[in-house]
Amino acid sequence: QVQLVESGGGLGQAGGSLRLSCAASGRTFSSHSLGWFRQAPGKEREFVGVMSRDGDSTYYADSVKGRFIISRDNAKNTVYLQMNSMEPEDTGVYYCAARIRYMALSASDIDYWGRGTQVTVSS
């Protein structure tokens, strides 16, 4: 069992930066790929990015590629999402997500979810 708790959301400005954190409980943290999804009002939850268990591989949605960076610290059981050059379209609830072993690009493949943190980007 893995429990995920996000933090770091809030209000940002277009062109600015925010960093989200996701703290995980459980001793099997390093056995899970970790990623982020987001959901804007009235829209479905969408994939943002994912990092492999060992941190060697990452994959991003085209909409955030080159602007967002995922990192993880297995010693601290924490994964991060650095959001740069933010756009109003980045507004939404951001969810930390974990999947045993393999990276997941689809919400249906996720094993564990955090409760989410709100990010609002003003123009």
Side-chain angles (χ1 to χ4, degrees):
Q1 188 77 10
V2 174
Q3 293 184 329
L4 306 171
V5 179
E6 303 94 338
S7 61
L11 179 64
Q13 292 188 331
S17 298
L18 283 176
R19 189 175 82 155
L20 307 183
S21 299
C22 173
S25 63
R27 293 178 291 178
T28 60
F29 180 80
S30 60
S31 299
H32 294 74
S33 71
L34 296 165
W36 294 88
F37 286 72
R38 67 186 181 187
Q39 188 166 18
K43 295 188 176 181
E44 293 186 353
R45 194 170 298 189
E46 66 174 3
F47 170 77
V48 174
V50 63
M51 174 171 275
S52 60
R53 291 177 290 160
D54 58 9
D56 284 349
S57 299
T58 54
Y59 189 81
Y60 298 95
D62 288 343
S63 58
V64 307
K65 196 175 298 181
R67 300 189 297 120
F68 290 10
I69 301 171
I70 293 175
S71 60
R72 64 187 289 169
D73 186 337
N74 284 351
K76 295 182 178 180
N77 281 12
T78 302
V79 62
Y80 305 96
L81 180 66
Q82 179 66 42
M83 306 168 60
N84 301 319
S85 301
M86 294 189 300
E87 302 169 353
E89 292 75 20
D90 295 323
T91 294
V93 178
Y94 281 70
Y95 296 90
C96 182
R99 185 188 185 195
I100 297 172
R101 296 179 66 184
Y102 303 112
M103 292 192 289
L105 278 65
S106 171
S108 62
D109 291 329
I110 295 300
D111 296 312
Y112 303 103
W113 291 100
R115 292 188 174 184
T117 185
Q118 176 71 43
V119 171
T120 302
V121 182
S122 62
S123 58

